[in-house]
């Protein structure tokens, strides 16, 4: 895995860790961003991680572009000796699949979809080889997801399914983007899941909706008082399918300030995961639920 470096104007260096999306590439990107941050290189003003890549903004009056490039390349060379272990957290997120709000929206924009005769869940289940929507939902909620990047709009996480590549859910985006997507929609495009932090345009397939706010600019939600965005790269998400009654209760709890997300600290070891993803995911489940 050889990184590709390029300059973006006079104030940016762009580093593409790998062309392929993988946990290995995400880890290398995260570790390099952390190493650059901890190195305290004079002139670096911002580090922006993305999916298997990142960008560094710098002041060229403080550090020459070629000097910064050499500094980052040296950090990359040293990072090859680091153990792929990440201290992070696992979060349980309730989801009402096949909800009425995303259903109403997807029906409004059916002419922009690959299959105007069904729903996004019908389509995703079929092209991923599942016999029905129930089995597809079980697969979507049956394994954890790794937050590889947060951005595009404030607080929106991109999530990568933590299963063998052959089992990963993949769906194309809409043929033409929608002009509307409900807030907190759980969607999917390509190999990535996403949770829409705000209402707005979008092109990902829509599978459901979560009652759990992930972005609060007013910081009134209890667990968002210290930071207005919930997710950060490296978080692990485990979806929990809930029925309409469970969804409505969670909404009431959020409104009353009683909603408390299930969050547990966890140390994720990429090597152990790679040996047996299914067994490792079971161990993560044990951490989450204390068994």
């Amino acid at each position: 895995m050889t990184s590709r470096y390029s300059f973006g104007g006079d104030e940016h260096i762009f580093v593409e860790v790998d062309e392929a999306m993988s946990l290995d590439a995400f880890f290398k990107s995260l570790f390099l961003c952390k190493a650059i941050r901890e190195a305290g290189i004079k002139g670096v003003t911002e580090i922006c991680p993305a999916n298997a890549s990142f960008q560094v903004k710098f002041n060229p009056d403080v550090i020459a572009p070629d000097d910064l490039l050499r500094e980052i390349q040296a950090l990359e060379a040293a990072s090859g000796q680091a153990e792929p272990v990440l201290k992070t957290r696992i979060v349980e997120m309730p989801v009402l699949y096949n909800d009425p709000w995303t259903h109403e929206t997807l029906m409004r924009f059916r002419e922009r979809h690959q299959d105007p005769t069904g729903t996004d869940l019908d389509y995703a289940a079929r092209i991923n080889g599942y016999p029905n929507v129930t089995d597809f939902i079980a697969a979507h909620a049956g394994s954890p997801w790794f937050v590889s990047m947060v951005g595009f709009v404030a607080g929106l996480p991109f999530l990568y399914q933590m299963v063998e590549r052959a089992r990963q859910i993949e769906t194309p985006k809409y043929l033409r983007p929608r002009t509307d997507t409900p807030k907190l929609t759980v969607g999917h495009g390509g190999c990535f899941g996403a949770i829409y932090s705000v209402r707005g345009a979008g092109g990902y397939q829509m599978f459901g909706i979560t009652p759990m706010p992930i972005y609060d600019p007013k910081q009134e939600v209890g667990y968002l008082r210290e930071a207005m965005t919930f997710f950060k790269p490296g978080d692990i998400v485990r979806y929990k399918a809930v029925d309409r009654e469970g969804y409505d209760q969670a909404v009431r709890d959020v409104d009353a300030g009683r909603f408390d997300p299930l969050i547990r600290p966890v140390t994720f070891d990429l090597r152990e995961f790679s040996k047996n993803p299914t067994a490792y995911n079971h161990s993560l489940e044990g951490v989450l639920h204390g068994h």
Side-chain angles (χ1 to χ4, degrees):
M1 192 186 303
T2 304
S3 297
R4 184 166 62 185
Y5 291 80
S6 57
F7 290 105
D10 298 327
E11 299 181 341
H12 298 88
I13 290 180
F14 177 71
V15 185
E16 185 180 24
V17 172
D18 197 3
E19 289 185 357
M21 300 298 171
S22 67
L23 284 176
D24 298 82
F26 302 152
F27 257 69
K28 184 174 179 181
S29 177
L30 282 176
F31 274 60
L32 269 174
C33 288
K34 182 174 182 286
I36 295 168
R37 195 173 296 112
E38 292 177 349
I41 303 168
K42 289 184 179 179
V44 170
T45 58
E46 189 175 359
I47 305 165
C48 182
N51 294 321
S53 64
F54 62 92
Q55 185 165 272
V56 180
K57 184 177 182 181
F58 62 96
N59 184 343
D61 293 330
V62 177
I63 185 168
D66 288 337
D67 290 341
L68 178 57
L69 176 61
R70 282 191 288 270
E71 293 261 16
I72 297 174
Q73 289 174 327
L75 290 171
E76 179 182 8
S79 73
Q81 305 166 11
E83 295 184 350
V85 176
L86 178 68
K87 290 187 180 297
T88 184
R89 59 183 182 166
I90 185 168
V91 180
E92 184 174 84
M93 171 169 276
V95 179
L96 176 60
Y97 288 94
N98 211 6
D99 65 282
W101 305 284
T102 61
H103 182 80
E104 185 276 332
T105 304
L106 66 87
M107 295 308 292
R108 268 193 287 134
F109 292 95
R110 221 61 216 143
E111 79 286 353
R112 304 184 183 210
H113 195 273
Q114 291 85 352
D115 181 6
T117 64
T119 68
D120 291 10
L121 279 167
D122 293 332
Y123 175 70
R126 186 177 74 252
I127 66 171
N128 282 280
Y130 291 94
N132 52 57
V133 167
T134 300
D135 287 352
F136 176 79
I137 290 172
H140 188 270
S143 60
W145 297 71
F146 184 89
V147 177
S148 59
M149 169 184 169
V150 179
F152 188 69
V153 297
L156 185 152
F158 288 84
L159 306 106
Y160 187 79
Q161 193 177 18
M162 294 168 57
V163 294
E164 299 88 343
R165 187 176 292 272
R167 293 175 53 208
Q168 285 181 335
I169 292 168
E170 292 189 32
T171 63
K173 293 186 282 187
Y174 275 43
L175 298 174
R176 288 187 295 133
R178 301 177 302 273
T179 56
D180 190 21
T181 307
K183 178 182 176 181
L184 297 178
T185 289
V186 175
H188 199 92
C191 68
F192 285 105
I195 303 166
Y196 286 72
S197 53
V198 297
R199 182 179 181 180
Y204 279 21
Q205 307 288 333
M206 296 182 288
F207 297 159
I209 200 162
T210 177
M212 178 179 157
I214 59 172
Y215 172 60
D216 179 17
K218 295 182 180 179
Q219 294 180 252
E220 295 172 344
V221 176
Y223 58 88
L224 292 173
R225 285 188 183 135
E226 293 185 6
M228 66 178 68
T229 59
F230 179 75
F231 285 112
K232 52 185 177 289
D235 282 343
I236 297 171
V237 178
R238 189 69 156 80
Y239 294 123
K240 178 185 178 182
V242 297
D243 58 15
R244 180 61 188 270
E245 182 180 349
Y247 173 87
D248 289 342
Q249 182 60 56
V251 170
R252 288 193 292 269
D253 289 342
V254 169
D255 291 342
R258 296 191 303 262
F259 187 83
D260 189 17
L262 179 59
I263 305 170
R264 296 286 184 267
V266 66
T267 299
F268 180 76
D269 189 322
L270 180 59
R271 296 164 303 185
E272 293 302 314
F273 170 83
S274 300
K275 290 177 185 175
N276 190 332
T278 300
Y280 198 86
N281 287 343
H282 283 316
S283 72
L284 291 175
E285 184 80 14
V287 171
L288 186 60
H289 294 288
H291 58 262

